[in-house]
Amino acid sequence: MSLFKKVWPYLRHQTPILIFAYLCMLVLGAATAAYAFLAGPALKFIFSGSIVDIIHHADGSLRSMWNWLPPSLLSELEKFAEQSALYMVPILIVIVAFIKGMAQTGQFYLMGKASQRVLLHLRSDAFDSMLKQSPSFFAKRAHGDLLSRLTNDANLVEQAIFYGITPAVREPLSVIFLLVYCFVTNPRLALFTFVIVPLAVLPLVRFSKWLKRVSHRGQTAQGDINAVCYEALAGVRVVQAFGTEKIENQRLEKSASRYFKQMLTSYFIRAVRTPTMEFLGAIALGSLLGLLGYRVRVLGDDPAQYISFFVAVVMMYDPLKKLGQVADYIATGGAAIERIYEIIDSPTDINDCATAYELPPFNNAIVFAGVNFSYNENPVLEYIDLTINRGQVVALVGRSGSGKTTLANLLPRFYDIKGGSLTIDGHALNKVTLASLRKQISVVSQDTFLFNTSIAANIAYGRPDASFDDIKQAAMAAHAVEFIEKLSQGYETVIGERGVTLSGGQRQRLAIARAFLRNAPLLILDEATSSLDVESEHHVQAALDELMTERTCLVIAHRLSTVRRADHIAVLKDGHIIERGRHQQLIELGGEYARLYDMQFQDEKPLATPTNAS
C-alpha cells in the first residue's frame, strides 16, 4: 500500500496517540460482537420468555464454556438468569452501548488529532522543499499546480488517513471479533462463513487500483485548473487590457473538461462497486440463510441457537460495506501523496556541501574568475572575469538577454556556476553556507514583491525582531515616511497582495527601506528605478543614493544617473564582457556602451563625471 508506506514516516511520530486509538478500536470491535451475543438472549426472551434454552442448545465451544462449571453452580446461574432476564438484558445492552460510544468517541478524536498532525507536518515539509528550490525549479512548474499540491492534495491525504487508514483497521477488527464469536458459537458454520464473507471483499482490490489511476489523473487535471485560474487572476489587468477573457475562459473549460471526464469515470467506478458488493453480500447471506434453514427444517435443529450467530454474520456486512468507502479514500489519498512526494523528493539544485562553513563578514573583494554558466545546454555566460572591491559601485550594462541579471543572480547563489570560480574574500561561494552568504546580501529589484500585511511587517521582513524605531528610521532613510504617515493607519496599514494599494514608486521605497533595515554590506540593484515616473524616480533615486553609501553594489541599470556614478562599468554582449571602464572612458571609446548610450539617452546631454563616486 503506497499510501501507508509514504505516510508512515509521519504517522510513526504519533505512536502514543495511535496506540490509544487502536485500543479504543479493539474495545469498539468487542462491543460490536457483544451486541451480537446479546441479540440471541434478547429475542429469545421476547418470544419465549426464557433465555436459558439458548445456553442449553448452544453448539460446540459456547456450550463447553458453561458445562465445565459444577452442576450446582450452573443451576444457580440459570436460575439467576431466568429471574433477572427482565431487567438484566436491557441493562447489558445499555452498558454495551455506553462502552461502544465511549470507544467510538475516543478513536474518532485521537485519529482526527493524528491525521491533522500528519497534515501539518506533510504540508510543512512540502512547502519547505519548495522554498529551497532554485528559480529553475519554478520555471518548469505552474504555480497553481504547486498550490494545488499544498492544499487540495494535502487535504486528500489527511482524509485518506482519517476516513481510509483508520476504518481499514477499525472495520476489520469488528469483522474479526464477530468471526471469533461465530467460531465460539458454532465452529462448523463459522468455517462456512469464513469462506463466503471474503467473496464480498475481493472486488474491492480491483476497484481500488482502478480508482487510484483515475484519481491521479483527476488530481493532475485539478492542478491544471488551479494553474489556469492563478495565472488569469494574477494577470487580470493584462487579460482585461487585451480583451482575452474568452481565451482564458476557454483554457479553463479545456482543463475543467479533462477533470470532468476523470471524475465521471470515478463516479462510475463508485456506482458499480456498491451494487456489486451488495449483490455478492446477498449471495453470501442467502447461502448462509439456506444452510441454516436446512439445518432447522431437515435436521431438526433448534432455531434459537442460530439467532445470535445469524445476527453476527449480518453485522459483518456493515463494516465490509464501509471498506468500499475506505478503498475510495485510500485510492485518492495514494494518488495525492505521490504528487506531494514529487515535490518533497525533488532534489534541490543549490545546497550546502557537507563541509560548508560560515562566511566571515565581507571585507575585501568579490572575484568572478573565468565564470561560465548555462541553462541546460544553452550557454549564457562565458569566461567572465570581474572584480568588485569593497565600497565600489559596479554597473552591468547590455542588451536584454546579454546575461546581466544571470550574472547578478550568481552572487546570492540563486544558480551555481558551471565553470571557473566565484569567491568572496577568497571563499568559494559553494563552500560556505547559504544562510551566511545571503545574510550579507540585500536585493532591490524592478519587480518589487511585497506581502499582504502591514507596512511595518514588510519593512521588517528581513529582520522580524526589529524595533519600531528601527523600522521608522529605515523608512526615513528610504524617503518613505512622507507617504506612510499620510495613510490612515500609518505603519499598520495593510497594503494588499503584492502591495497593490501602493504606487510603483512607493513600493520601491518600501523595498529600499527593507534593504536599509537588513543592513547587509553587499547590495544588488536590478533595474530598481525602471518603469517609474519622473517624480517617483527622483524619490527612489535619492533613497538609493543613501542606501548605496558605504556599501559594495552590483547594479543592473539603464538609468543615466546610476550608471554614470558607477566606479566600474562592465558591458555584456552574448554572455561576454566586451568593454569595461568608467562612463566617460566608455563614451570616448565609441564602442557598444557608446552606442547603447546614444540609443537610451539620446535626449540627454553628457554631464561631467563625478570625481569621487561611491
Side-chain angles (χ1 to χ4, degrees):
M1 185 191 298
S2 61
L3 172 65
F4 185 78
K5 287 181 180 178
K6 291 183 180 297
V7 85
W8 173 243
Y10 296 92
L11 275 176
R12 67 182 179 186
H13 296 297
Q14 313 303 321
T15 300
I17 296 175
L18 294 176
I19 289 174
F20 283 108
Y22 292 146
L23 286 175
C24 289
M25 292 180 195
L26 285 171
V27 174
L28 187 62
T32 302
Y35 266 133
F37 172 77
L38 291 172
L43 293 175
K44 182 68 176 179
F45 176 74
I46 291 172
F47 292 109
S48 69
S50 173
I51 64 171
V52 177
D53 286 347
I54 291 180
I55 299 174
H56 283 308
H57 292 285
D59 192 17
S61 300
L62 183 62
R63 183 173 58 195
S64 64
M65 290 174 60
W66 298 96
N67 288 344
W68 67 271
L69 295 173
S72 59
L73 179 57
L74 182 59
S75 176
E76 290 297 322
L77 287 175
E78 292 175 354
K79 186 183 299 183
F80 173 78
E82 284 291 342
Q83 294 174 350
S84 60
L86 183 62
Y87 57 86
M88 186 59 66
V89 173
I91 290 175
L92 287 175
I93 291 175
V94 171
I95 292 173
V96 170
F98 177 79
I99 294 173
K100 184 178 181 182
M102 293 297 293
Q104 175 73 17
T105 301
Q107 68 87 28
F108 188 94
Y109 174 77
L110 292 172
M111 288 306 301
K113 185 177 182 178
S115 62
Q116 284 297 319
R117 283 187 173 179
V118 169
L119 173 63
L120 177 67
H121 296 304
L122 181 65
R123 181 176 284 155
S124 176
D125 285 353
F127 189 57
D128 184 61
S129 178
M130 287 184 189
L131 293 179
K132 291 178 180 178
Q133 298 296 332
S134 67
S136 60
F137 172 87
F138 298 98
K140 301 173 185 176
R141 291 168 173 82
H143 288 187
D145 180 62
L146 295 177
L147 291 175
S148 178
R149 298 180 194 227
L150 287 175
T151 54
N152 183 60
D153 290 342
N155 288 334
L156 288 175
V157 173
E158 185 272 332
Q159 292 177 12
I161 295 172
F162 188 79
Y163 296 106
I165 293 178
T166 301
V169 175
R170 183 185 64 227
E171 305 307 335
L173 280 175
S174 297
V175 172
I176 289 171
F177 272 104
L178 290 168
L179 281 173
V180 168
Y181 172 73
C182 289
F183 271 101
V184 171
T185 303
N186 194 313
R188 287 171 295 176
L189 285 177
L191 283 173
F192 176 77
T193 305
F194 193 74
V195 171
I196 62 172
V197 166
L199 293 176
V201 182
L202 290 177
L204 287 177
V205 178
R206 178 59 182 168
F207 282 123
S208 179
K209 291 181 179 179
W210 188 11
L211 189 61
K212 182 179 178 180
R213 291 196 299 270
V214 172
S215 296
H216 193 284
R217 293 195 292 266
Q219 283 152 228
T220 301
Q222 178 70 61
D224 293 340
I225 291 173
N226 289 350
V228 171
C229 292
Y230 176 85
E231 289 179 354
L233 295 177
V236 66
R237 291 188 181 183
V238 177
V239 172
Q240 293 174 347
F242 284 87
T244 56
E245 292 89 345
K246 287 186 178 179
I247 294 176
E248 294 301 322
N249 195 41
Q250 288 171 357
R251 289 180 63 203
L252 177 62
E253 286 182 356
K254 186 176 180 180
S255 297
S257 294
R258 288 196 296 268
Y259 180 73
F260 170 78
K261 291 177 182 178
Q262 297 305 320
M263 290 306 296
L264 205 60
T265 305
S266 173
Y267 280 116
F268 174 76
I269 295 171
R270 291 179 172 91
V272 170
R273 183 201 58 223
T274 300
T276 299
M277 288 188 61
E278 289 186 353
F279 178 71
L280 293 175
I283 291 177
L285 288 177
S287 300
L288 177 62
L289 193 61
L291 178 61
L292 295 179
Y294 172 80
R295 294 181 66 89
V296 171
R297 295 179 63 86
V298 178
L299 302 181
D301 289 349
D302 187 349
Q305 64 176 303
Y306 301 127
I307 295 176
S308 290
F309 183 91
F310 188 74
V311 168
V313 175
V314 171
M315 290 180 72
M316 288 182 202
Y317 179 72
D318 184 61
L320 289 175
K321 187 177 180 181
K322 288 179 180 178
L323 286 175
Q325 298 174 344
V326 166
D328 288 356
Y329 286 108
I330 289 179
T332 55
I337 202 167
E338 286 179 2
R339 280 170 46 83
I340 294 174
Y341 262 86
E342 286 178 13
I343 303 300
I344 295 177
D345 291 340
S346 293
T348 53
D349 298 333
I350 311 298
N351 296 292
D352 288 338
C353 67
T355 57
Y357 56 91
E358 295 284 319
L359 176 66
F362 175 62
N363 187 55
N364 188 17
I366 303 167
V367 179
F368 294 79
V371 168
N372 295 306
F373 179 78
S374 61
Y375 293 113
N376 298 323
E377 300 300 324
N378 303 317
V380 179
L381 298 172
E382 294 185 292
Y383 307 107
I384 298 296
D385 292 309
L386 181 66
T387 299
I388 307 173
N389 294 314
R390 179 181 177 182
Q392 275 192 327
V393 175
V394 175
L396 303 177
V397 175
R399 300 176 183 178
S400 295
S402 61
K404 304 183 301 296
T405 299
T406 301
L407 179 59
N409 284 337
L410 297 178
L411 188 54
R413 281 192 72 195
F414 291 151
Y415 302 99
D416 271 336
I417 61 175
K418 305 298 184 182
S421 69
L422 175 53
T423 61
I424 295 180
D425 293 344
H427 302 279
L429 298 196
N430 60 354
K431 301 298 183 182
V432 301
T433 62
L434 279 170
S436 66
L437 168 65
R438 292 174 179 173
K439 185 178 181 180
Q440 300 196 44
I441 300 174
S442 288
V443 180
V444 180
S445 64
Q446 173 186 1
D447 185 19
T448 300
F449 191 94
L450 298 176
F451 296 87
N452 185 23
T453 183
S454 69
I455 285 177
N458 271 285
I459 294 175
Y461 186 73
R463 272 185 56 196
D465 59 340
S467 67
F468 179 74
D469 287 340
D470 291 337
I471 293 172
K472 192 170 182 179
Q473 287 178 9
M476 190 175 301
H479 294 239
V481 172
E482 171 197 358
F483 76 85
I484 293 175
E485 293 184 345
K486 290 181 180 179
L487 299 173
S488 59
Q489 294 179 304
Y491 288 86
E492 296 305 315
T493 302
V494 177
I495 59 177
E497 187 175 359
R498 300 180 69 92
V500 67
T501 61
L502 303 178
S503 69
Q506 290 170 341
R507 290 196 294 270
Q508 286 291 67
R509 279 180 274 173
L510 287 187
I512 294 170
R514 188 159 60 193
F516 262 115
L517 189 60
R518 185 174 176 82
N519 196 28
L522 303 176
L523 178 64
I524 299 175
L525 302 178
D526 187 356
E527 303 284 5
T529 59
S530 64
S531 304
L532 297 178
D533 58 67
V534 176
E535 183 178 357
S536 295
E537 181 188 350
H538 172 74
H539 287 294
V540 171
Q541 189 60 58
L544 286 174
D545 289 343
E546 292 195 36
L547 180 61
M548 294 165 68
T549 302
E550 297 183 357
R551 285 183 172 84
T552 304
C553 304
L554 181 60
V555 179
I556 303 171
H558 296 297
R559 295 293 188 178
L560 180 62
S561 55
T562 304
V563 172
R564 281 180 171 172
R565 298 182 64 179
D567 298 299
H568 187 82
I569 300 172
V571 183
L572 280 83
K573 184 177 181 180
D574 298 329
H576 297 83
I577 295 179
I578 60 172
E579 296 173 6
R580 60 180 78 223
R582 297 193 63 150
H583 169 72
Q584 196 61 38
Q585 294 172 331
L586 294 174
I587 290 293
E588 293 173 356
L589 184 63
E592 179 73 6
Y593 179 82
R595 191 184 67 80
L596 292 173
Y597 176 82
D598 288 338
M599 291 177 59
Q600 297 173 8
F601 310 115
Q602 57 187 340
D603 295 332
E604 303 199 34
K605 301 297 182 182
L607 302 175
T609 305
T611 58
N612 187 23
S614 61

